[in-house]
Amino acid sequence: MTAVVINGKQMAADIIAELKSKIKQLPTPPVLAVIQVGDDEASTIYVKHKQKAATEVGISTCFYGFAKDCSQKELLDLIHTLNKDPEVSGILVQLPLPEQLNEQEILDSIDYKKDVDGFHPYNVGLLQNGYKKALLAATPKGIMHILDTVSPDLSGKHALVLGCSVIVGKPTAMLLLQRGCTVTLAHDKTVNLSELTKQADILVVACGCPEMVKGSWIKDGAIVIDVGINRLNGRLCGDVEFTAACNKASYITPVPGGVGPLTVAMLLENTFEAYKAQNNL
Ligand code: GUN
């Protein structure tokens, strides 16, 4: 089998084009507040991508950069101000945060209606209950968009999600469950991992280990979604051994150009949705 390589850039471009025309019709532009603490290189790149894409689609952005030794109170004060500002549609705090900060308290302090990352416990709870109006975390939403495009009926399929982070693994597992998949959520304590992956019709890998999943671990015809972005010997790679996996999978996302562009597109869609909900549109 030779896998179809999923063009995440094109899928994202289609979403963004549609969003752009919808945003044009709004009375005022949505506003996305972007908060970054410190100057981690990867975070800086992601934040710049997000801001550039927002501007292109007609969303205004306000960037708030903090020194890496900033205090919890400084961040909370800003978030409280942004929560109260009717002009601000969405608030994004780029993760991870430095160790001295209490990440959960900061995420909890964001007004759930402006929580365009979908990390607030209220939105997580809505997702858990299958409530459609939840703001969904952008990467899981992007993954589901890819899966719905290449395989409209997921019901009855065995999905294995490798990695159980709050940002990707857990919400993706929940969404797959809601589509009727039988879901296995694997992690670094899982034993006989390759035996499990060999049973998976859908394999979502978000473990942050370069090329950890080998081609031989993949079931013939599986759909492989690689969320990893790693650097190995100076080149970018995912969590899946791409070339070998192409010989087994039916569809596979490349790195870069797979899930990443959809994460950005979904963040913009969430900002648009948040704007509409706040303005009763
Ligand atoms: N760090 C890695 N992924 C994300 C994301 O989707 N949102 C935020 N805010 N930070 C991240």
Side-chain angles (χ1 to χ4, degrees):
M1 168 115 19
T2 304
V4 173
V5 178
I6 293 163
N7 189 341
K9 265 192 186 172
Q10 188 56 54
M11 279 187 190
D14 294 344
I15 293 168
I16 283 175
E18 203 180 317
L19 209 48
K20 195 170 179 174
S21 79
K22 287 182 187 161
I23 289 174
K24 253 195 204 139
Q25 293 162 32
L26 297 175
T28 56
V31 176
L32 174 64
V34 178
I35 302 171
Q36 185 183 351
V37 182
D39 57 1
D40 173 76
E41 194 189 337
S43 290
T44 303
I45 293 170
Y46 294 143
V47 161
K48 284 203 173 124
H49 271 306
K50 291 173 186 179
Q51 287 183 277
K52 185 165 171 272
T55 308
E56 275 167 20
V57 89
I59 294 173
S60 302
T61 63
C62 302
F63 177 75
Y64 300 89
F66 286 83
K68 69 168 181 289
D69 60 353
C70 78
S71 70
Q72 184 83 1
K73 183 170 183 315
E74 279 176 278
L75 268 183
L76 290 175
D77 285 349
L78 171 65
I79 291 170
H80 289 141
T81 304
L82 296 171
N83 281 343
K84 280 187 265 162
D85 186 340
E87 300 290 311
V88 173
S89 330
I91 303 170
L92 177 153
V93 179
Q94 186 63 28
L95 303 178
L97 291 171
E99 278 192 355
Q100 83 274 11
L101 298 170
N102 179 340
E103 191 168 288
Q104 193 59 55
E105 187 187 32
I106 285 162
L107 297 178
D108 293 358
S109 74
I110 296 173
D111 179 345
Y112 74 88
K113 297 192 199 79
K114 300 189 179 190
D115 169 37
V116 287
D117 261 325
F119 297 159
H120 190 284
Y122 186 81
N123 283 315
V124 174
L126 292 182
L127 162 63
Q128 176 95 10
N129 290 351
Y131 186 66
K132 299 278 182 296
K133 291 223 159 136
L135 283 165
L136 286 182
T139 302
K141 201 173 166 184
I143 292 169
M144 295 314 294
H145 181 83
I146 294 172
L147 289 174
D148 288 337
T149 305
V150 301
S151 178
D153 186 9
L154 301 176
S155 175
K157 297 201 186 300
H158 181 200
L160 185 134
V161 179
L162 175 48
C164 55
S165 69
V166 170
I167 295 180
V168 183
K170 284 182 190 164
T172 303
M174 193 51 66
L175 290 165
L176 287 164
L177 183 63
Q178 286 166 12
R179 292 288 203 291
C181 292
T182 301
V183 183
T184 302
L185 191 45
H187 44 75
D188 58 1
K189 309 280 189 305
T190 298
V191 292
N192 292 336
L193 180 59
S194 63
E195 293 309 310
L196 295 174
T197 59
K198 282 174 193 164
Q199 296 169 31
D201 304 304
I202 296 163
L203 182 57
V204 178
V205 188
C207 59
C209 304
E211 300 184 341
M212 186 180 124
V213 172
K214 308 299 171 202
S216 60
W217 296 13
I218 293 168
K219 180 177 176 179
D220 274 324
I223 302 173
V224 177
I225 308 290
D226 189 350
V227 188
I229 303 181
N230 313 288
R231 216 168 259 289
L232 188 65
N233 305 325
R235 66 182 169 90
L236 278 186
C237 69
D239 293 346
V240 177
E241 212 181 41
F242 182 78
T243 309
C246 281
N247 293 325
K248 300 294 282 297
S250 56
Y251 291 91
I252 188 166
T253 58
V255 178
V259 176
L262 280 148
T263 295
V264 176
M266 293 307 171
L267 168 72
L268 305 179
E269 197 172 274
N270 280 353
T271 309
F272 172 66
E273 294 299 333
Y275 174 99
K276 284 197 302 177
Q278 287 159 43
N279 292 279
N280 302 313
L281 295 174

